Amino acid sequence: MNQARSTPSRLGPFLQQHLSEYGMLLSLAAIMLLFQWLTDGTLLQPLNLTNLVLQNSYIVIMALGMLLVIVAGHIDLSVGSVCGFVGALAAVLMVQFEWHYLPASLLCLVVGGAIGAAQGAFVAWLRIPSFIVTLAGMLVFKGLALALLQGQSLGPFPEEFQILSTGFLPDPLGGDELRSTSLLIGVAVAAVMVALGWRSRSQQQLHGMEVEPAALFALRQAAFAAAIVALAWLLASYKGLPNVLIVMGVLMLAYDFMARRTVIGRRIYALGGNEKAARLSGVRTERLVFLSFINMGVLAALAGLVFAARLNTATPKAGLGFELDVIAACFIGGASASGGVGKIMGAVIGAFVMGVMNNGMSILGIGIDYQQVIKGLVLLAAVCVDVYNKNKG
């Protein structure tokens, strides 16, 4: 029986079984090609690609935490307001009180974690629905941001702090027209990803598990490697890899490993799938919910610092509507509204789907009104697909 299961599946049945995983990647590729054509090649120009990364960095960072909250069966509507509040706090500390950017940033992250802990405690132990708790938090921290800034913008930030969001990786190799260091890092990342993918597939075969058909595996790995090298080459031809892209990459790998390979990651999925069964199995569900909200608060604070550094000022309206883009990214990336289902890389892909749409529509001159309509319809379509797949299963 094990031998039968270790035989690679036929291509057709495997694709049908894993349609959602490949569908998101194909959707992102199709959307990028569409806007590349509609914008006459502007979308994938190095300058615009750099702006695309910078514009979506804080959404991607918050989507990593939001996915875990959604997988656990909850929601956090306060992330945009927490993001804006932390940016305001950072401005008060660094600009008004002239704190050094390092202790100020660390304090902001601690404050974000404390906010998440407070909201998580209400949800985990008092059993108040997360929708209500975080809706209240959204109003509270939006008001506190206004109070901190006294209704006015505050800036500029120290130059060292701005590097977090607007700086680029140094190039010790001294490339003139091409940042060689950034390109070599891209090639190295592509090679490591292919090696890890091959190692994972070999281990699955060794244990008699179903594996991806060899042709599809080779095609997917080649496409991933080519996309990473192409992105690195395009960015290297401008100013190199943005610092925030390095931060995003480290976070994505860390959270993907945590979600798929650690005990706490598996328990979060078990919690979202069936809380009662998870509790009967000995999982401390309240603590998991509490920790997931703390994690969300820290990432919202980090996103607030990144956003403030990019704008070089803190504004009372910072973070407005961010929660909608973050939640939409998770659902578009395959997360289930009922919990227990979702992948870290899916949320990242969903965030870039939203980002490419925003960027492409802005280049085309589509008004913000119609942008909101289109994004809403895309989100609705993603949830409809989730419901359809669940009913079909």
Side-chain angles (χ1 to χ4, degrees):
M1 185 174 180
N2 286 340
Q3 183 64 31
R5 284 199 306 163
S6 65
T7 302
S9 304
R10 289 182 302 167
L11 186 59
F14 188 91
L15 282 174
Q16 289 181 353
Q17 188 178 354
H18 298 82
L19 182 62
S20 61
E21 298 177 24
Y22 296 101
M24 280 311 305
L25 284 171
L26 293 174
S27 297
L28 177 59
I31 290 171
M32 293 187 72
L33 290 174
L34 174 64
F35 280 110
Q36 174 73 353
W37 174 64
L38 292 175
T39 60
D40 295 325
T42 302
L43 181 73
L44 294 181
Q45 287 184 359
L47 173 59
N48 191 63
L49 271 179
T50 302
N51 289 333
L52 189 62
V53 170
L54 298 179
Q55 289 167 1
N56 292 281
S57 55
Y58 38 90
I59 301 299
V60 171
I61 290 170
M62 286 191 285
L64 300 176
M66 184 64 74
L67 179 78
L68 296 180
V69 172
I70 290 174
V71 165
H74 297 282
I75 199 76
D76 191 342
L77 300 177
S78 69
V79 292
S81 296
V82 172
C83 179
F85 169 71
V86 168
L89 177 62
V92 169
L93 293 175
M94 294 184 211
V95 180
Q96 194 168 322
F97 294 149
E98 298 183 349
W99 279 34
H100 189 273
Y101 72 96
L102 281 179
S105 299
L106 289 174
L107 179 60
C108 287
L109 294 177
V110 170
V111 168
I115 291 171
Q119 296 189 137
F122 280 108
V123 175
W125 285 290
L126 297 182
R127 296 286 175 177
I128 301 175
S130 57
F131 182 91
I132 302 299
V133 172
T134 57
L135 179 62
M138 180 174 70
L139 299 173
V140 167
F141 296 109
K142 190 179 295 182
L144 287 177
L146 280 168
L148 269 179
L149 295 175
Q150 298 179 350
Q152 298 178 347
S153 297
L154 184 60
F157 286 98
E159 290 185 5
E160 299 87 350
F161 177 70
Q162 295 176 43
I163 291 175
L164 169 67
S165 190
T166 59
F168 294 85
L169 196 69
D171 187 22
L173 300 179
D176 295 327
E177 296 183 359
L178 193 70
R179 306 283 177 171
S180 305
T181 304
S182 296
L183 179 58
L184 289 176
I185 289 175
V187 172
V189 169
V192 169
M193 286 191 65
V194 170
L196 291 176
W198 181 264
R199 179 172 176 268
S200 176
R201 187 175 187 273
S202 300
Q203 288 180 339
Q204 289 175 345
Q205 283 183 311
L206 186 63
H207 292 89
M209 299 172 64
E210 181 188 41
V211 295
E212 191 175 14
L216 185 60
F217 172 80
L219 179 63
R220 183 168 62 86
Q221 293 296 318
F224 267 129
I228 292 172
V229 173
L231 175 64
W233 182 80
L234 288 169
L235 293 176
S237 65
Y238 178 54
K239 290 185 178 180
L241 298 178
N243 291 337
V244 74
L245 180 60
I246 305 298
V247 174
M248 284 166 48
V250 171
L251 288 174
M252 284 188 287
L253 292 176
Y255 276 85
D256 185 62
F257 177 82
M258 185 274 293
R260 295 191 300 114
R261 304 280 184 172
T262 65
V263 173
I264 191 172
R266 296 189 186 100
R267 287 180 173 177
I268 289 175
Y269 281 88
L271 165 64
N274 191 324
E275 182 179 358
K276 186 176 181 181
R279 190 183 295 112
L280 291 174
S281 299
V283 176
R284 298 174 62 181
T285 55
E286 290 85 0
R287 187 177 70 170
L288 280 181
V289 172
F290 182 64
L291 290 175
S292 66
F293 275 93
I294 291 178
N295 176 69
M296 183 71 259
V298 172
L299 290 179
L302 177 59
L305 294 175
V306 170
F307 185 68
R310 178 171 173 264
L311 289 185
N312 196 24
T313 186
T315 65
K317 291 187 177 182
L320 184 65
F322 282 7
E323 62 279 346
L324 301 180
D325 283 339
V326 173
I327 293 170
C330 293
F331 286 139
I332 290 172
S336 173
S338 56
V341 177
K343 291 188 175 181
I344 293 294
M345 290 306 172
V348 173
I349 292 171
F352 277 108
V353 166
M354 296 291 290
V356 170
M357 289 175 57
N358 286 336
N359 185 266
M361 288 189 290
S362 297
I363 294 173
L364 293 173
I366 297 175
I368 190 68
D369 45 2
Y370 289 106
Q371 288 189 33
Q372 298 295 333
V373 171
I374 294 171
K375 286 160 59 178
L377 292 174
V378 170
L379 174 59
L380 181 61
V383 176
C384 287
V385 169
D386 170 51
V387 172
Y388 172 77
N389 289 333
K390 188 178 298 181
N391 293 336
K392 187 179 178 181

